Amino acid sequence: MRHLTFLIENWVNAILNVRLFELVRHFLKLGLVCDVYSLGLSLQRNPLPRFFRPAVAKHEGIPVKLIPSVNLPSRRATLLVNCLSAAFLSEGVLVIKHPAVARILHSMGRNYILDYEDVLSLFYASRKLVRDYYSAWKLERIVFKGADLVVTENEYLAKYISNLSDGVEVAVIPNGVELELFSPHAVNARSLFSGERVSLGFVGKSLSSQRTELFFRSLRYLPKKVLENVEIILVGPFDSSVLGLLKKHVAHVNIVGHVSHFEVPRFIGNMDICLNPIVDVHFSRSTKNLEYAAMGRPTVATDVPSNSFVKENNCGIVCKLSPEDFAKGIETLVYDQNMAVDLAKNGLRAVRDYDWNVLARKYKSLIEKKGLI
């Protein structure tokens, strides 16, 4: 049986790393032979994403192979050399995300699976490579047409790719959640609204004031009675300005800071209402909504494509991109706790279809059907 080789770039964003991490981990459980090569600049200048650091990977049984970097004058040149090295070192089918890597592999005649989550990221990446819109469009067509299989995260992207490149086979495998890890019973999560105060919580890779600005601005629109009876739990890295901004409005604030991915369920289990105030217009679904739902928590989320899971499955309140509307969503769930419990139950039912064990089996079937393994 041929094996799969995942090529990762040091600078891809955290969401993509989580998806790759989970795919590799569950493919290994299913008996597939997988390995991971890191592409990019030296580890001193550009550290590996956390999920693919050797210590974490070894703990999870993921065979990460580091390609020694060379001091070339540009990132593009380094990427090219390391991509060629990985392609020659591996006999397996390559699983990639970066359009530049796809272009290199296409020119080499190598088999590859393109797994991509955000068309905007793809377009901007191709723009940086070729500097003009027409050439970027042509590069996208080459990237997609050269793939043995294109897998994307949602139907919108699948439709975009199909319209761009006729005849390209596009499959939809959404992002998922580890239901064995994100389980209310596994961490003895408290019942909703059983604490002294209503707990509002947010988990994120970045808790800078810019990232959570909408939520911070919404606090001024919450009634005083609500502010006096809530506590705020923030999980993730933060800058020094965050605490000051919160303390202006809320007396009870718990800023946890960065924790391991495997510790996140315990903190979500202490929240009554989860928040997802992102305003970025990306088309990949936020995995945080899946994690909140799996833990039996209702969500107050902004009305952007990333939060479509909340809207489609009625597992929270979806708000306009305004602090006033976001505050109204929080206030609604604080006062109508029966509604909050019903929304949480909807989320628990819906998230069963997003178990990584289920999604990995579907992905494996797709690859086998194409004869790639």
Side-chain angles (χ1 to χ4, degrees):
M1 177 183 288
R2 300 180 69 187
H3 67 277
L4 298 174
T5 299
F6 288 76
L7 302 187
I8 65 166
E9 305 81 33
N10 294 351
W11 54 87
V12 294
N13 74 45
I15 293 176
L16 307 187
N17 293 331
V18 172
R19 180 177 172 90
L20 283 180
F21 172 79
E22 293 293 358
L23 284 173
V24 173
R25 196 153 67 94
H26 286 85
F27 281 162
L28 290 171
K29 286 182 181 179
L30 293 172
L32 292 180
V33 180
C34 303
D35 51 32
V36 180
Y37 280 98
S38 169
L39 308 176
L41 305 181
S42 69
L43 298 182
Q44 290 77 24
R45 293 175 56 193
N46 218 350
L48 273 171
R50 185 188 158 277
F51 279 118
F52 287 100
R53 290 174 190 164
V56 178
K58 184 177 180 182
H59 175 72
E60 288 298 309
I62 296 178
V64 176
K65 300 178 181 181
L66 306 180
I67 300 174
S69 293
V70 291
N71 293 321
L72 296 176
S74 71
R75 173 176 289 179
R76 193 185 307 175
T78 304
L79 178 64
L80 172 61
V81 171
N82 287 348
C83 181
L84 291 172
S85 299
F88 281 117
L89 288 170
S90 172
E91 296 179 358
V93 177
L94 299 160
V95 183
I96 60 167
K97 290 182 175 292
H98 201 286
V101 177
R103 184 67 182 90
I104 295 166
L105 296 177
H106 178 66
S107 65
M108 295 173 63
R110 285 300 307 267
N111 295 103
Y112 67 89
I113 298 169
L114 179 62
D115 185 293
Y116 216 85
E117 297 182 75
D118 197 332
V119 69
L120 295 182
S121 299
L122 174 61
F123 182 75
Y124 293 144
S126 58
R127 276 278 293 143
K128 289 179 181 178
L129 287 171
V130 296
R131 306 299 181 189
D132 70 84
Y133 289 100
Y134 176 68
S135 296
W137 175 75
K138 287 200 300 183
L139 176 60
E140 285 180 323
R141 289 175 64 88
I142 291 171
V143 165
F144 292 130
K145 286 205 168 191
D148 293 275
L149 176 64
V150 178
V151 181
T152 188
E153 191 271 330
N154 59 61
E155 292 76 8
Y156 174 87
L157 292 177
K159 184 176 180 181
Y160 172 86
I161 295 168
S162 297
N163 291 338
L164 183 70
S165 301
D166 295 335
V168 174
E169 181 177 348
V170 187
V172 177
I173 301 289
N175 285 327
V177 62
E178 182 61 74
L179 292 184
E180 294 175 4
L181 177 64
F182 287 86
S183 164
H185 306 294
V187 297
N188 294 319
R190 74 182 192 188
S191 300
L192 287 178
F193 307 108
S194 60
E196 183 181 351
R197 297 180 180 84
V198 175
S199 176
L200 309 177
F202 175 84
V203 179
K205 297 293 186 297
S206 171
L207 292 183
S208 66
S209 57
Q210 291 182 341
R211 179 79 177 182
T212 52
E213 182 182 1
L214 182 73
F215 168 55
F216 294 151
R217 289 172 57 197
S218 73
L219 293 175
R220 71 183 69 173
Y221 296 101
L222 284 172
K224 184 178 180 180
K225 187 177 179 181
V226 171
L227 293 173
E228 289 174 348
N229 289 283
V230 300
E231 66 172 333
I232 295 175
I233 302 175
L234 298 182
V235 181
F238 62 93
D239 59 37
S240 57
S241 64
V242 170
L243 186 59
L245 287 168
L246 292 174
K247 285 291 187 180
K248 290 180 181 179
H249 303 282
V250 183
H252 304 281
V253 180
N254 179 13
I255 299 183
V256 177
H258 174 75
V259 300
S260 162
H261 175 70
F262 306 100
E263 296 178 86
V264 170
R266 179 164 59 90
F267 292 99
I268 297 178
N270 289 325
M271 301 172 186
D272 295 310
I273 301 169
C274 293
L275 310 173
N276 202 338
I278 55 175
V279 296
D280 307 6
V281 182
H282 291 289
F283 296 99
S284 57
R285 299 191 185 200
S286 171
T287 56
K288 289 293 165 245
N289 294 324
L290 301 176
E291 294 169 0
Y292 296 155
M295 291 300 298
R297 268 49 194 167
T299 304
V300 177
T302 45
D303 191 6
V304 295
S306 297
N307 289 332
S308 59
F309 174 83
V310 178
K311 192 173 186 177
E312 291 169 1
N313 295 287
N314 192 29
C315 55
I317 292 183
V318 178
C319 309
K320 298 175 184 176
L321 294 176
S322 73
E324 297 94 334
D325 206 49
F326 201 79
K328 189 182 297 182
I330 294 172
E331 184 181 358
T332 299
L333 292 189
V334 168
Y335 284 131
D336 193 343
Q337 296 182 0
N338 289 330
M339 176 185 179
V341 170
D342 289 340
L343 293 174
K345 290 178 180 177
N346 292 342
L348 280 170
R349 284 192 293 269
V351 81
R352 293 172 190 164
D353 295 331
Y354 293 84
D355 184 359
W356 271 121
N357 289 306
V358 175
L359 298 176
R361 284 195 290 270
K362 289 182 179 178
Y363 211 129
K364 179 174 178 283
S365 296
L366 279 172
I367 300 172
E368 289 174 335
K369 185 178 179 182
K370 290 288 292 183
L372 298 174
I373 56 174

